Amino acid sequence: MQAIMQIENLSKHYDNFDLEDVSFSIPYGSIMGLIGANGAGKSTIIKTILGIAHKDSGYIQIFGRDDIEDNAIKEKIGVVFDGSNFHPAMTPKQINKVLADIYTNWQEDVFYTYLKKLSLPEKKKIEDFSRGMKMKLAIASALSHQPELLILDEPTGGLDPIVRDEILDMFLDFIQDERHAILVSSHILRDLEKVADYITFIHNGRLLFSKTKDELIYDYGLIRCTKEQFSSIERDDIIACRRQEYSCDVLTADKAAAQRKYTDCVIDNVTIDDIMLMYIKGERQ
Amino acid sequence: MKGLLRKDIYLAKDTLAIMLLLGLIIGVSLSFFVPSGVFIPLMTAMLASLTPTTMNLDHTSGWNRLQATMPLTKKTIVMGKYITFTAHILFGYIIGFILCFLMNLIRKNMTPDDYFTFSIIGLSFAFFSGCITLPANHIVKNEKMGIIIFIFSYFASAVILLGTGYLLLKVFLLNLQKDFYIIGWILLAFSLCLFCLSIIVSFKTYEKKELV
């Protein structure tokens, strides 16, 4: 499958944090969810991809080229950062004029359609906007210059479920075109479970996995067992486990095989939340 | 480039009226004690301060980060600020000159040489301060430091201006009365040269900068 973005062995060193050898790729027509706890390295990856932090080593190819400084590539990328993106003293109407002068493919009509659809007043200053409105404006702006790739850093953080749902719908609309793709980082995993096709999990600056969401949800399972039953589980079947006083929860990558092998244990379905928790808090084998 | 300049105009517009009013009040008050020419360096300096203000706003609002992802070269981003700064200086100079002229209609305390002196002082000071402030604003990470550097840059400008004047008079043996206009033009040219050289420093600084 052809990738809109390919990252290989990306490393970035800070005094108190290292991002090491991260590799993943995003196929055309898909949404990649970048997950991990706060400080795991999600934002560092995004900043390095966008060239606003300099990578120490590795290879980042977007649209088949390893040159994020090329304006032709930047034209095709829509970016939304967590928190503020625009000057609080400006209005959406002014932002339209500024961005129209910057992006060759800026579509004023599309921008105003988004403002209307998202109930954003065009003449009100951004400082008077709620957090949700600011985020909607940032997404509307990112979508109004015919981008093919959207890169979003925590776009739904701190928003109420209704606004989050509206934003997720916008992502799904965008991805209807198979030439498009989205890289979205979030620690609200329920959102990603709704829209993402792939999940890349970063922990302490290292890649734990990059897999399809379906593989995680349908293949992974949670074995609920007693301490005695736990001792009979083969090490190869255990990704991580959490021991409690009388019982154990075991994350396994092959739920179907576990159901056949461990008939006396309860095997539950997993959510992305469960997987993340097991990887971070559990004992890994 | 046009988009960046437009954005800076929108940002400056908000504080421009207050700046002009403040400059007018201070200028009128001062011109009862000193020549009306004080309007020229005062308004030039006040308007010049708008650019470091917009740079701080760019940083605090997150715009710096976002603009780095836009189809703009680093050179364009750096040059945009220099153009804005020069435009602010020239606008401040013109406003200062007009106010000085109007005040002089009442006070009648300015000679053509005074117009020249205050113009050279105003413009040289502003360009000298710009060659410190603009590169430094790419390095500092907080608003307070940006303001401190801007204030310090005027002190440094005074030192550079006096030092250059001293060199012209004592080393190159120019005569203040006889070579009055030559000295003025040399000071202005020197400030412009330093200002232009600082573009290279700014570009190198911005290129290495990580917008995190």
Side-chain angles (χ1 to χ4, degrees):
Chain A
M1 204 181 298
Q2 218 189 344
I4 197 167
M5 183 197 288
Q6 189 150 4
I7 294 172
E8 277 172 32
N9 305 110
L10 179 65
S11 295
K12 170 78 190 163
H13 167 77
Y14 289 110
D15 288 341
N16 52 357
F17 176 77
D18 281 323
L19 185 74
E20 268 187 32
D21 283 333
V22 173
S23 304
F24 64 90
S25 62
I26 308 172
Y28 278 94
S30 68
I31 299 179
M32 167 68 80
L34 196 55
I35 66 168
N38 291 332
K42 305 188 294 292
S43 295
T44 304
I45 291 175
I46 287 181
K47 283 170 190 161
T48 316
I49 290 169
L50 292 169
I52 57 180
H54 309 304
K55 65 185 181 199
D56 289 332
S57 61
Y59 175 75
I60 302 167
Q61 198 178 56
I62 305 174
F63 304 115
R65 295 183 55 194
D66 183 13
D67 184 13
I68 188 61
E69 291 304 324
D70 185 344
N71 283 348
I73 291 179
K74 286 178 169 182
E75 281 277 358
K76 294 197 279 184
I77 304 177
V79 180
V80 176
F81 288 110
D82 181 23
S84 60
N85 286 268
F86 297 112
H87 284 281
M90 286 173 75
T91 64
K93 197 179 171 184
Q94 291 174 330
I95 283 165
N96 169 60
K97 286 191 172 168
V98 169
L99 296 183
D101 286 336
I102 291 175
Y103 287 100
T104 317
N105 298 327
W106 182 257
Q107 294 168 297
E108 193 171 295
D109 52 333
V110 172
F111 181 72
Y112 279 111
T113 308
Y114 275 121
L115 290 190
K116 210 172 170 187
K117 189 178 158 190
L118 299 167
S119 312
L120 296 169
E122 57 182 85
K123 288 178 184 166
K124 197 173 176 181
K125 285 190 175 182
I126 295 167
E127 62 197 4
D128 299 322
F129 278 22
S130 67
R131 187 181 158 80
M133 288 164 84
K134 282 179 193 165
M135 196 46 79
K136 285 196 271 188
L137 176 66
I139 293 170
S141 308
L143 287 169
S144 298
H145 57 89
Q146 294 180 304
E148 290 174 25
L149 173 65
L150 273 187
I151 298 181
L152 311 107
D153 192 9
E154 300 281 0
T156 55
L159 302 182
D160 67 60
I162 295 156
V163 178
R164 269 166 41 206
D165 202 55
E166 276 180 277
I167 289 174
L168 296 181
D169 281 344
M170 289 168 81
F171 294 170
L172 292 172
D173 278 347
F174 177 76
I175 214 71
Q176 292 307 307
D177 188 330
E178 286 185 356
R179 292 166 302 174
H180 292 174
I182 300 178
L183 171 65
V184 52
S185 85
S186 181
H187 55 256
I188 304 176
L189 304 184
R190 216 169 293 167
D191 289 348
L192 291 183
E193 239 175 76
K194 272 187 202 166
V195 296
D197 300 296
Y198 296 87
I199 300 286
T200 293
F201 185 8
I202 307 292
H203 184 53
N204 288 339
R206 276 135 185 99
L207 176 80
L208 290 187
F209 60 73
S210 187
K211 292 174 186 278
T212 67
K213 181 188 73 185
D214 289 349
E215 191 182 341
L216 292 168
I217 289 176
Y218 298 118
D219 291 355
Y220 277 53
L222 209 54
I223 307 171
R224 316 269 191 195
C225 57
T226 60
K227 279 191 165 178
E228 292 71 36
Q229 288 167 330
F230 177 71
S231 56
S232 67
I233 295 175
E234 290 173 28
R235 299 295 100 173
D236 288 350
D237 291 334
I238 303 172
I239 295 174
C241 65
R242 288 184 81 180
R243 296 167 208 255
Q244 279 133 25
E245 205 173 339
Y246 302 107
S247 65
C248 281
D249 289 342
V250 177
L251 182 69
T252 183
D254 193 344
K255 183 171 64 186
Q259 277 165 338
R260 283 192 303 272
K261 276 191 199 170
Y262 313 112
T263 48
D264 48 345
C265 298
V266 175
I267 320 272
D268 280 341
N269 292 330
V270 287
T271 61
I272 307 285
D273 257 324
D274 295 328
I275 296 173
M276 188 168 147
L277 273 174
M278 288 298 284
Y279 264 100
I280 293 175
K281 292 202 156 181
E283 299 163 34
R284 267 186 279 152
Q285 302 297 303
Chain B
M1 176 77 87
K2 202 175 147 195
L4 297 180
L5 300 181
R6 188 191 284 275
K7 186 251 331 162
D8 279 345
I9 290 171
Y10 288 143
L11 291 182
K13 218 166 64 176
D14 260 27
T15 42
L16 190 62
I18 301 163
M19 285 271 187
L20 289 176
L21 184 67
L22 190 66
L24 188 67
I25 292 167
I26 298 172
V28 168
S29 313
L30 283 177
S31 63
F32 286 108
F33 306 101
V34 291
S36 315
V38 73
F39 269 114
I40 299 173
L42 181 72
M43 294 310 289
T44 312
M46 288 193 84
L47 270 287
S49 74
L50 284 175
T51 311
T53 308
T54 62
M55 287 176 93
N56 281 325
L57 288 172
D58 286 348
H59 178 70
T60 51
S61 67
W63 170 266
N64 259 355
R65 217 172 33 168
L66 192 67
Q67 77 174 353
T69 71
M70 292 174 183
L72 298 162
T73 62
K74 288 181 174 170
K75 210 172 177 179
T76 306
I77 292 170
V78 170
M79 280 309 291
K81 283 298 170 197
Y82 275 83
I83 292 171
T84 306
F85 189 75
T86 309
H88 285 156
I89 287 177
L90 294 180
F91 186 55
Y93 172 74
I94 292 166
I95 299 278
F97 195 91
I98 292 169
L99 291 175
C100 165
F101 180 77
L102 294 175
M103 196 65 193
N104 195 44
L105 291 177
I106 305 164
R107 301 266 350 260
K108 297 188 185 353
N109 59 2
M110 292 277 290
T111 64
D113 280 359
D114 290 336
Y115 276 108
F116 181 75
T117 308
F118 281 108
S119 297
I120 292 294
I121 291 173
L123 291 171
S124 308
F125 250 84
F127 283 120
F128 278 136
S129 91
C131 74
I132 298 166
T133 312
L134 298 183
N137 261 286
H138 289 302
I139 302 168
V140 296
K141 284 181 180 171
N142 68 65
E143 206 174 343
K144 274 183 197 164
M145 273 306 287
I147 293 165
I148 290 168
I149 286 170
F150 181 68
I151 295 165
F152 167 77
S153 73
Y154 267 84
F155 174 70
S157 303
V159 174
I160 298 171
L161 205 60
L162 287 171
T164 316
Y166 181 83
L167 276 178
L168 291 174
L169 295 174
K170 301 288 176 188
V171 179
F172 295 99
L173 301 173
L174 294 178
N175 183 290
L176 188 59
Q177 267 79 42
K178 217 174 86 187
D179 304 315
F180 176 70
Y181 285 99
I182 296 173
I183 293 171
W185 287 119
I186 289 175
L187 283 175
L188 184 60
F190 183 53
S191 69
L192 275 170
C193 284
L194 281 187
F195 184 67
C196 293
L197 280 175
S198 76
I199 296 174
I200 301 166
V201 180
S202 278
F203 182 64
K204 299 254 181 221
T205 318
Y206 186 76
E207 214 174 19
K208 286 180 191 159
K209 189 176 183 179
E210 295 211 340
L211 301 156
V212 288

